[in-house]
């Protein structure tokens, strides 16, 4: 009905409403008392609903009007301040902004670690291969199952969350379905190597929180989500390799086995400290600061600026914006993936081909860990970036990294 009302006001009459300059808006459905025109039941229902929505703000507008009548020297900034206060009340008290931020932290920032650990275990096999048109459906089923495993059965929350998969050909399908504008040529995207590389998270933001959590903001959260999930998945794979090692510790081992398990220890040392740095030094610290800023103000604009600052700090302190460090860390994570695949496919002693692959992984990990140490040390020496210095403190807290010449995993085959 509201769509036809808007069309009628724009000069396009319909079956319910028409508009002309002489008689104004006409409702063709009369009321039960036989009255037509502005007393039609459709228009009365619309006006009643509009009145109920605006009712909470009517007294506030009257108070603001009285303030201006009492003091004609008030500036427009006073109006802005009053609107900011009303927006603060609407967002924080009525729409539970703090609860929404907790949801963002639990899912986009992996605050519910047990949920994503269960999801990694459940979806590991289906996301190892390149995604297809049905992968997105299967992954969301796995996500729902994981939520039930960890007793997360919020019927109001889970429908708002949806895992997305960008598979090869999806953009062409979406473009064919779109009818909002003229078609334009787009460069073909590179097909993802696995489902994990194409995984993302979407969240249906409820009104009026969309003012703060815009699509651009959610996309930035999605970038952080993908990065944190990749680190968590590598950590889980290295822990699984440790379990395999414990199952075979009573068997006779050779020098290649010693190299293999020592490399795993060095990889786990680096990844565990990176994970701790991201979760404790970055996420928990920044989130606590954001909550403190929200609780210490009644101004919506201050909240918006604090949230923007929070998100910018997440991207900066997790090194997503610092390309040399981010690229180096991703290379290290890829090497860890390769090592875990090698161990999982060769439970017994490595043959000649496996030993050669292990040698490549050792050299690659030594090279990348050395590069990471040089970047962190150079920045620390110049006291430019405290975030890099904090990560180096996590990695080199006992000076082992320094004593090893800034190289991990460097030992003879």
């Amino acid at each position: 009905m509201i769509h036809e009302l808007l069309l009628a006001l724009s000069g396009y009459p319909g079956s319910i409403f028409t508009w002309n300059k002489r008689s104004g808006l006409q409702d063709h459905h009369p009321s039960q008392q036989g009255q037509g025109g502005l007393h039609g039941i459709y228009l009365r229902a619309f006006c009643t609903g509009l009145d109920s929505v605006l009712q909470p703000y009517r007294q506030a507008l009257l108070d603001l009007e009285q303030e201006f009548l009492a003091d004609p020297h008030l500036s427009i900034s006073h109006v802005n301040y009053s609107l900011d206060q009303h927006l603060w009340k609407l967002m924080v008290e009525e729409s539970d902004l703090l609860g929404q931020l907790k949801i963002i932290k639990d899912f986009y920032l992996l605050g519910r670690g047990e949920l994503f650990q269960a999801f990694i275990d459940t979806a590991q096999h289906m996301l190892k291969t390149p995604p297809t048109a049905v992968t997105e459906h299967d992954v969301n089923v796995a996500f729902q199952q994981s939520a039930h495993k960890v007793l997360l059965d919020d019927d109001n929350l889970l429908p708002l969350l949806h895992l997305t998969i960008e598979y090869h050909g999806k953009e062409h399908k979406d473009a064919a379905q779109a009818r909002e504008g003229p078609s334009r040529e787009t460069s073909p995207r590179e097909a993802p190597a696995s489902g994990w590389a194409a995984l993302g998270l979407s969240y249906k933001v409820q009104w009026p929180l969309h003012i703060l959590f815009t699509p651009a903001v959610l996309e930035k959260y999605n970038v952080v989500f993908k990065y944190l999930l990749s680190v968590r998945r590598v950590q889980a794979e290295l822990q699984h390799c440790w379990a395999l090692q414990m199952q075979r510790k009573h068997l006779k081992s050779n020098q290649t086995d010693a190299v293999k398990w020592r490399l795993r220890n060095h990889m786990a040392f680096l990844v565990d400290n990176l994970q701790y740095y991201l979760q404790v030094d970055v996420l928990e610290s920044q989130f606590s600061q954001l909550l403190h800023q929200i609780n210490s103000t009644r101004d919506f604009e201050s909240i918006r600026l604090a949230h923007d600052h929070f998100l910018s700090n997440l991207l900066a302190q997790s090194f997503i914006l610092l390309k040399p460090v981010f690229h180096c860390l991703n290379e290290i994570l890829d090497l860890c993936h390769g090592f875990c695949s090698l161990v999982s496919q060769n439970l017994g002693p490595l043959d000649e081909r496996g030993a050669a692959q292990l040698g490549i992984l050792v050299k690659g990990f030594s090279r990348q860990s050395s590069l990471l140490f040089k970047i962190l040390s150079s920045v620390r020496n110049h006291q430019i970036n405290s975030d890099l210095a904090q990560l180096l403190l996590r990695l080199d807290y006992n000076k082992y990294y320094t004593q090893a010449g800034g190289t991990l995993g460097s030992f003879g085959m």
Side-chain angles (χ1 to χ4, degrees):
M1 180 184 69
I2 188 172
H3 300 93
E4 184 162 339
L5 173 62
L6 295 175
L7 288 173
L9 292 174
S10 301
Y12 299 95
S15 59
I16 300 177
F17 298 108
T18 56
W19 166 267
N20 59 68
K21 294 182 179 179
R22 179 173 299 178
S23 58
L25 184 67
Q26 297 292 322
D27 182 350
H28 294 299
H29 198 297
S31 65
Q32 294 179 353
Q33 289 78 14
Q35 297 172 328
L38 294 178
H39 299 283
I41 59 174
Y42 285 119
L43 188 57
R44 288 169 56 196
F46 173 75
C47 293
T48 301
L50 187 62
D51 179 73
S52 63
V53 170
L54 297 177
Q55 187 64 37
Y57 309 99
R58 184 165 291 133
Q59 186 59 45
L61 291 174
L62 290 174
D63 293 341
L64 186 62
E65 181 182 3
Q66 292 300 321
E67 289 184 34
F68 271 94
L69 291 175
D71 185 359
H73 300 291
L74 288 177
S75 64
I76 193 66
S77 61
H78 180 74
V79 179
N80 292 335
Y81 176 73
S82 299
L83 291 176
D84 275 342
Q85 286 186 316
H86 287 298
L87 271 177
W88 180 92
K89 182 178 180 181
L90 178 64
M91 299 286 284
V92 177
E93 294 183 351
E94 299 180 16
S95 301
D96 189 22
L97 174 61
L98 296 181
Q100 292 297 314
L101 286 171
K102 181 67 165 54
I103 292 174
I104 293 290
K105 178 175 179 286
D106 285 346
F107 293 94
Y108 276 104
L109 306 181
L110 273 59
R112 293 296 299 264
E114 76 284 7
L115 167 64
F116 287 98
Q117 181 60 55
F119 172 72
I120 289 172
D121 295 338
T122 304
Q124 183 67 33
H125 296 291
M126 70 177 67
L127 291 176
K128 288 171 62 176
T129 57
T132 64
V134 299
T135 304
E136 185 168 313
H137 171 268
D138 295 342
V139 163
N140 279 281
V141 171
F143 186 72
Q144 298 287 336
Q145 293 173 348
S146 302
H148 295 318
K149 286 181 181 179
V150 299
L151 304 180
L152 178 61
D153 297 324
D154 191 336
D155 295 333
N156 295 322
L157 173 60
L158 291 178
L160 302 178
L161 298 162
H162 184 79
L163 293 175
T164 60
I165 295 289
E166 294 294 333
Y167 60 88
H168 185 59
K170 182 177 182 179
E171 61 273 14
H172 302 295
K173 177 182 177 182
D174 294 341
Q177 294 175 349
R179 295 293 184 267
E180 297 181 358
S183 60
R184 57 182 179 182
E185 295 183 1
T186 57
S187 57
R189 298 179 182 177
E190 183 180 354
S194 68
W196 290 111
L199 186 65
L201 178 65
S202 66
Y203 175 59
K204 295 180 181 178
V205 181
Q206 302 301 298
W207 185 94
L209 295 169
H210 68 284
I211 300 174
L212 190 64
F213 302 111
T214 63
V217 167
L218 291 181
E219 182 56 35
K220 292 179 180 179
Y221 274 119
N222 208 16
V223 172
V224 179
F225 167 76
K226 294 178 181 180
Y227 177 48
L228 295 177
L229 186 62
S230 65
V231 175
R232 186 67 189 90
R233 187 164 63 91
V234 168
Q235 188 180 41
E237 290 178 351
L238 289 170
Q239 291 170 352
H240 177 68
C241 289
W242 176 84
L244 296 177
Q245 178 186 0
M246 292 299 100
Q247 293 174 4
R248 300 183 56 82
K249 66 179 181 179
H250 62 283
L251 301 178
K252 184 178 180 180
S253 61
N254 53 32
Q255 171 140 11
T256 304
D257 289 331
V259 172
K260 177 173 62 177
W261 298 127
R262 190 177 177 188
L263 177 61
R264 191 214 72 85
N265 288 339
H266 284 195
M267 287 180 167
F269 169 79
L270 196 155
V271 172
D272 287 346
N273 281 283
L274 173 62
Q275 170 77 358
Y276 190 88
Y277 164 80
L278 292 172
Q279 290 293 337
V280 177
D281 296 332
V282 178
L283 300 180
E284 289 297 337
S285 174
Q286 291 297 320
F287 192 75
S288 297
Q289 293 180 34
L290 174 63
L291 294 185
H292 174 73
Q293 291 173 323
I294 292 176
N295 289 324
S296 62
T297 184
R298 296 185 65 88
D299 178 10
F300 172 73
E301 185 64 20
S302 298
I303 291 178
R304 187 185 65 80
L305 293 175
H307 178 258
D308 290 344
H309 186 65
F310 163 75
L311 188 53
S312 297
N313 283 344
L314 288 188
L315 293 169
Q317 296 182 17
S318 59
F319 312 122
I320 293 174
L321 300 180
L322 194 57
K323 295 305 179 183
V325 178
F326 189 60
H327 177 75
C328 184
L329 291 173
N330 280 324
E331 289 292 323
I332 290 173
L333 294 178
D334 289 340
L335 289 166
C336 293
H337 278 304
F339 172 80
C340 294
S341 298
L342 177 64
V343 172
S344 300
Q345 296 169 7
N346 299 272
L347 298 180
L350 295 176
D351 56 15
E352 184 176 349
R353 181 180 178 183
Q357 292 178 350
L358 179 62
I360 294 174
L361 291 171
V362 168
K363 292 179 181 178
F365 184 73
S366 299
R367 182 173 61 253
Q368 293 299 329
S369 63
S370 177
L371 175 60
L372 178 63
F373 184 80
K374 289 178 181 178
I375 295 175
L376 299 181
S377 299
S378 63
V379 173
R380 179 190 62 178
N381 294 335
H382 291 86
Q383 296 181 349
I384 299 174
N385 193 316
S386 60
D387 307 321
L388 291 176
Q390 181 64 27
L391 177 58
L392 181 59
L393 178 63
R394 293 290 179 195
L395 294 173
D396 198 30
Y397 66 94
N398 60 357
K399 299 302 178 182
Y400 177 83
Y401 213 161
T402 300
Q403 294 170 4
T407 302
L408 296 178
S410 179
F411 29 81
M413 289 289 292

